[in-house]
């Protein structure tokens, strides 16, 4: 499948060989145990270790992460389960890890836990490849690019080469881009990680995460961690995720096209400041993003004058849900400062573009901005 287009690959990914009178995508397998006589050797033994529904989904994600290659994917109950599986399966007390200080909101919680386990945690911003200065003696470098919610981008190839030269493994959180927007393994990373709750499944109704590796030893480490802590997805969630992958390219292309149009429209509004979208030619990250990204994602971030202006804007939107998370077919937006933990202004808005008609969505944003500043 390495020569196929993204849409064809997404539609066909992970499907079993055709079998007469059987469905093209088998339904979810609900089983805690399987028939197992004699020695416990085989693909399916107990429901915490393996499940046929996971197998189909893991193959599908692997085909998207690294087309034509033999990689190992492990699915988890959430994005955070995937993130912590990588970190906690690889580092020990006395090791050092490098994290972004402007990444996903829950990363500070991970940082606290790592420190409690005796791990040295170093942090630097995503922008400007600032993490380069902290690699000496590190066991693992964690990259989030584009970062959430600030949408900064770093040069992943450059950071990977420097980290490997320093003896460190590299994990990339690819949630915002998805594998059809950016392929971290092709950029040299050891782990490609994502919260599939977001753009991968795209409907806002599943919690899921995954880790993909080229090195079978790293895959074995991650899968052992899943077995030990039991951070497994339900078979129904895994099946729904696989079903949702078939529309990945359709959804992402529509969202990215509209996101760029939204960014261009916002750039003309004087009340909007701090506008960020990696696909916008005037964005500070555009040059780096175009070298390593194939699509620029569904999220646009910007600032309004203050908290009250942002709240009035969100209230006035008619086609956009005031909700957290991103990547879904229904547009969402929120004032990130309401959560705490992100170093953003009170009027900072993270806007996730959905699959609505672009004209309708842009008109809604324009009227909401007009209402907010009156």
């Amino acid at each position: 499948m390495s020569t196929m287009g993204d849409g064809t690959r997404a539609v066909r990914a992970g499907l079993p060989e055709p079998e007469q009178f059987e469905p093209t995508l088998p339904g979810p397998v609900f089983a805690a145990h399987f028939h197992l006589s004699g020695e416990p050797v085989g693909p399916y033994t107990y429901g915490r270790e393996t499940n046929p529904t996971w197998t189909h989904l893991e193959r599908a994600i692997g085909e998207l992460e690294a087309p034509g290659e033999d990689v190992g994917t492990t699915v988890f109950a959430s994005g955070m389960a995937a993130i912590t599986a990588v970190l906690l399966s690889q580092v020990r007390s006395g090791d050092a890890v490098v994290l972004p200080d402007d990444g996903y909101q829950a990363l500070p919680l991970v940082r606290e836990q790592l420190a409690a386990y005796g791990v040295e945690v170093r942090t630097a911003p995503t922008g400007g490849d600032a993490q380069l200065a902290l690699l000496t003696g590190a066991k693992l470098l964690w990259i989030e690019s584009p970062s959430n919610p600030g949408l900064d981008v770093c040069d992943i190839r450059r950071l990977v080469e420097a980290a490997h030269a320093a003896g460190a493994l590299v994990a990339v959180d690819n949630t915002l881009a998805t594998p059809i927007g950016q392929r971290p393994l092709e950029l040299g990373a050891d782990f490609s990680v994502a919260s599939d709750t977001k753009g991968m499944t795209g409907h806002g109704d599943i919690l899921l995460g995954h880790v993909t590796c080229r090195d079978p030893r790293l895959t074995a480490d991650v899968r052992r961690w899943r077995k030990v802590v039991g951070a497994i997805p339900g078979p129904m969630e895994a099946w729904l995720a696989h079903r949702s992958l078939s529309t990945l390219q359709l959804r992402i292309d529509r969202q990215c096209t509209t996101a760029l149009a939204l960014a261009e429209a916002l750039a003309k509004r004087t009340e909007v400041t701090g506008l960020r979208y990696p696909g916008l030619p005037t964005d500070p990250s555009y040059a780096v993003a175009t070298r390593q990204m194939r699509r620029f994602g569904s999220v646009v971030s910007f600032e309004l004058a203050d908290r009250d202006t942002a709240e009035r804007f969100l209230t006035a939107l008619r086609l956009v849900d005031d909700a957290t998370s991103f990547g879904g077919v229904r547009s969402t937006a929120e004032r990130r400062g309401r959560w705490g933990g992100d170093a953003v202004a009170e009027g900072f808005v993270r806007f996730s573009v959905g699959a609505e008609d672009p004209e309708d969505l842009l008109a809604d944003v324009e009227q909401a901005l007009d209402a907010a500043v009156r």
Side-chain angles (χ1 to χ4, degrees):
M1 294 179 66
S2 59
T3 60
M4 291 183 179
D6 289 334
T8 304
R9 188 177 297 112
V11 168
R12 305 297 306 176
L15 297 181
E17 289 297 317
E19 188 172 337
Q20 190 75 344
F21 310 120
E22 292 295 324
T24 53
L25 177 61
V29 175
F30 298 99
H33 56 263
F34 302 83
H35 289 294
L36 187 66
S37 59
E39 294 300 316
V41 177
Y44 306 108
T45 57
Y46 184 64
R48 192 183 68 255
E49 297 186 29
T50 50
N51 178 289
T53 310
W54 304 350
T55 299
H56 294 310
L57 175 60
E58 289 171 343
R59 288 174 180 165
I61 293 174
E63 290 170 14
L64 296 172
E65 287 276 11
E69 296 188 46
D70 185 15
V71 295
T73 295
T74 308
V75 291
F76 288 87
S78 68
M80 283 306 299
I83 289 169
T84 53
V86 172
L87 288 164
L88 297 178
S89 71
Q90 298 303 312
V91 302
R92 305 289 183 271
S93 179
D95 288 340
V97 299
V98 180
L99 303 179
D101 64 11
D102 56 348
Y104 178 54
Q105 182 193 38
L107 274 184
L109 300 176
V110 177
R111 184 169 68 234
E112 292 174 10
Q113 193 62 57
L114 289 170
Y117 288 156
V119 175
E120 177 190 350
V121 181
R122 309 167 186 170
T123 62
T126 298
D129 299 342
Q131 291 172 298
L132 282 172
L134 306 178
L135 294 175
T136 302
K139 177 69 179 294
L140 188 144
L141 166 64
W142 190 273
I143 295 171
E144 186 177 308
S145 180
S147 62
N148 172 31
L151 301 183
D152 257 330
V153 171
C154 61
D155 188 330
I156 295 175
R157 286 189 186 91
R158 182 187 183 200
L159 283 163
V160 166
E161 290 173 2
H164 286 169
L169 295 168
V170 181
V172 176
D173 185 332
N174 200 41
T175 301
L176 268 159
T178 80
I180 68 167
Q182 179 173 266
R183 293 180 184 144
L185 299 185
E186 290 184 358
L187 300 172
D190 301 289
F191 305 89
S192 180
V193 188
S195 168
D196 301 321
T197 307
K198 315 298 195 299
M200 280 287 275
T201 57
H203 290 78
D205 54 8
I206 303 169
L207 289 172
L208 204 75
H210 81 265
V211 179
T212 302
C213 313
R214 274 203 183 94
D215 188 335
R217 294 171 298 179
L218 297 178
T219 298
D221 290 342
V222 170
R223 289 192 173 173
R224 181 181 183 277
W225 183 262
R226 181 179 68 181
K227 176 181 177 179
V228 169
V229 300
I232 59 172
M236 191 65 190
E237 286 80 2
W239 184 85
L240 286 170
H242 197 168
R243 181 212 58 177
S244 298
L245 287 182
S246 62
T247 60
L248 178 64
Q249 185 255 358
L250 293 171
R251 292 185 281 103
I252 297 298
D253 275 359
R254 175 63 167 260
Q255 290 168 297
C256 290
T257 299
T258 308
L260 177 58
L262 174 62
E264 291 170 342
L266 290 172
K268 299 174 183 176
R269 301 285 303 218
T270 57
E271 63 267 59
V272 172
T273 60
L275 174 66
R276 297 301 304 269
Y277 182 67
L280 192 66
T282 55
D283 189 271
S285 294
Y286 181 76
V288 176
T290 53
R291 291 198 300 269
Q292 65 191 22
M293 298 184 74
R294 300 161 61 240
R295 293 170 175 86
F296 300 105
S298 64
V299 178
V300 177
S301 68
F302 56 94
E303 293 179 21
L304 297 176
D306 50 34
R307 174 177 180 159
D308 289 343
T309 305
E311 293 289 358
R312 287 196 298 273
F313 167 71
L314 295 168
T315 300
L317 289 166
R318 301 186 183 113
L319 301 178
V320 182
D321 296 331
D322 190 343
T324 196
S325 199
F326 56 86
V329 292
R330 290 173 290 279
S331 291
T332 60
E334 70 171 336
R335 191 180 63 81
R336 285 299 293 174
R338 65 182 177 175
W339 295 99
D342 291 321
V344 296
E346 285 294 309
F348 180 96
V349 174
R350 185 182 69 186
F351 195 111
S352 174
V353 174
E356 298 88 359
D357 285 309
E359 306 81 24
D360 295 336
L361 186 63
L362 267 58
D364 191 32
V365 170
E366 295 281 3
Q367 68 81 23
L369 284 172
D370 291 341
V373 299
R374 282 176 183 159

